[in-house]
Amino acid sequence: MAELAEGDVAPEVSLPLGGGGTLALADLRGRTVVLYFYPKDNTEACTAEAIDFSGLKKDFEAAGASIVGVSPDNPKKHANFASKHALSIDLLSDEELKAANAYGVWVEKSMYGRKYMGVERTTFLIDGDGRIRRIWRKVRVKGHAAEVLQAVRDLAV
């Protein structure tokens, strides 16, 4: 599959929510969507990223954007993660890796010389028409949520 690029139509996904129910990207059509993929609940960087996005949720909403986090964790883990860290953003469960594969973020990684498959921390900014407007790959968490917020605000101008 070819790597997604800015300007492409965002692949449609419908996944279970951490708090119950499901959420489809189509449900958010007409709004800007920040779709961010992260490897695992309750790890240091993933927790920091979710807390940062939650802390800016009101600012994102004021700019007309919804924030959606996606990882392979199951809905129960997401619910516990959200409760433990007072997260206010939607977390989707991608246990079957449908979204991760559709967005090209399920990749070979390497740690201490050992290769394994995992989610590459990536954020997609999707406009109200469902087009990808910006992609951040191999995200460094510090300052990332604020940078994405600025991009959302720039998109609204």
Side-chain angles (χ1 to χ4, degrees):
M1 183 184 87
E3 187 172 278
L4 290 172
E6 293 173 7
D8 287 351
V9 172
E12 181 52 51
V13 295
S14 180
L15 296 169
L17 276 161
T22 60
L23 179 70
L25 277 186
D27 298 338
L28 301 174
R29 192 69 79 233
R31 288 183 65 79
T32 299
V33 177
V34 174
L35 184 68
Y36 82 94
F37 289 86
Y38 66 98
K40 191 172 175 56
D41 290 345
N42 288 307
T43 56
E44 186 178 351
C46 297
T47 300
E49 186 175 28
I51 289 171
D52 288 351
F53 274 122
S54 287
L56 292 172
K57 182 180 180 186
K58 286 186 178 12
D59 296 305
F60 276 98
E61 287 176 343
S66 298
I67 307 163
V68 180
V70 182
S71 85
D73 294 300
N74 67 46
K76 187 172 178 9
K77 271 192 83 179
H78 278 338
N80 291 340
F81 179 50
S83 176
K84 179 178 178 181
H85 299 286
L87 304 177
S88 58
I89 57 176
D90 287 327
L91 299 175
L92 298 180
S93 175
D94 189 22
E95 291 180 278
E96 296 173 13
L97 305 173
K98 288 178 182 172
N101 282 313
Y103 280 82
V105 300
W106 185 250
V107 299
E108 184 176 81
K109 298 168 92 173
S110 180
M111 185 182 290
Y112 307 118
R114 185 178 69 86
K115 295 201 178 305
Y116 63 99
M117 294 301 289
V119 171
E120 179 178 83
R121 189 180 312 279
T122 307
T123 301
F124 295 86
L125 179 57
I126 303 167
D127 69 18
D129 295 326
R131 288 211 173 269
I132 297 170
R133 297 299 294 268
R134 182 108 185 256
I135 303 171
W136 291 264
R137 299 189 189 280
K138 297 182 181 172
V139 167
R140 297 280 175 248
V141 172
K142 187 169 175 49
H144 178 62
E147 181 183 341
V148 174
L149 177 59
Q150 187 56 54
V152 167
R153 287 176 171 153
D154 292 346
L155 190 63
V157 172

